[in-house]
Amino acid sequence: MRLELADATLREWDAVVLASTDDGIVLDRSAFFPGGGGQPPDEGVLVWGGVQTRIVGARKTEDDVYLIAADDDPAPPPGTAVRGALDDERRSALMRTHSALHLLNGVVYRDYRLPVTSADMKPLEGRMDFDLPEVPAGFKEAIEAACNAEIAADRRIEVREVPATEAFAIEQVAVAARDLLPTRLEQVRLVDIVGLDVEADGGTHVASTKQIGRIEVVKIENKGKGFRRLRLRLPG
Ligand SMILES: [Zn+2]
């Protein structure tokens, strides 16, 4: 069970080990985000019977989330009751960063109708790629000001599951997804910065834009042929 999808604020929980193999540790209940959509996996620990297993990564298969233990740490055997805990500083920074990229996406779409081609992040730093042959004068400053205005507006960030037909009826979702999502998906998880941005997304987010803090647009790189890379950071 993926606890983080329903509650991104959860940091500690009880679980039982279902499997423990060379591929990793599978829990019956886990809040470790396994990585995806540009958001890297969580890190943290499993505590069991006085032993601590450091979790240095995670990955997802069709059915399960596999937790990767640190090389030198013992893995709990199947059936063990464990206490899971996330590295709060890392996860909280990634939630702010991921929400910042969605907010940026919303601003860029609303003000310039730019299709974003890809995005990536690490804690408190992100980048977003898009096609823009001519960069308008003052573009970087205008983007930064518009992003921080949307943070100050403290828009709610809501997560909900809706039928695929309903999700793809939203223009912004349809444009962004194109052929990226398998059509067999019956339910789509939407992350909605209410009034600004809606994306099909499996990541973890803060609850409102004010929690992002502040966005600094570091630079806009020209990668040639109109391909731009915008780099942002969240100071502090
Ligand atoms: Zn996202």
Side-chain angles (χ1 to χ4, degrees), residues 36-37 98 101-102 121 191 199-203 205:
H98 198 163
L101 283 167
H102 281 223
M121 77 197 82
V191 174
E199 296 180 49
D201 187 86
H205 289 265

Side-chain angles (χ1 to χ4, degrees), residues 173-190:
V173 173
V175 168
R178 283 185 293 266
D179 49 3
L180 294 179
L181 285 174
T183 48
R184 63 180 177 76
L185 275 184
E186 285 173 11
Q187 290 286 111
V188 174
R189 185 174 185 267
L190 293 180

Side-chain angles (χ1 to χ4, degrees), residues 203-215:
T204 59
H205 289 265
V206 294
S208 78
T209 59
K210 210 166 241 178
Q211 294 177 31
I212 294 168
R214 200 163 73 79
I215 288 177

Side-chain angles (χ1 to χ4, degrees), residues 89-107:
E89 194 178 328
R90 173 183 168 84
R91 160 63 93 73
S92 295
L94 285 168
M95 284 166 59
R96 288 170 55 207
T97 310
H98 198 163
S99 295
L101 283 167
H102 281 223
L103 183 140
L104 170 67
N105 185 72
V107 164

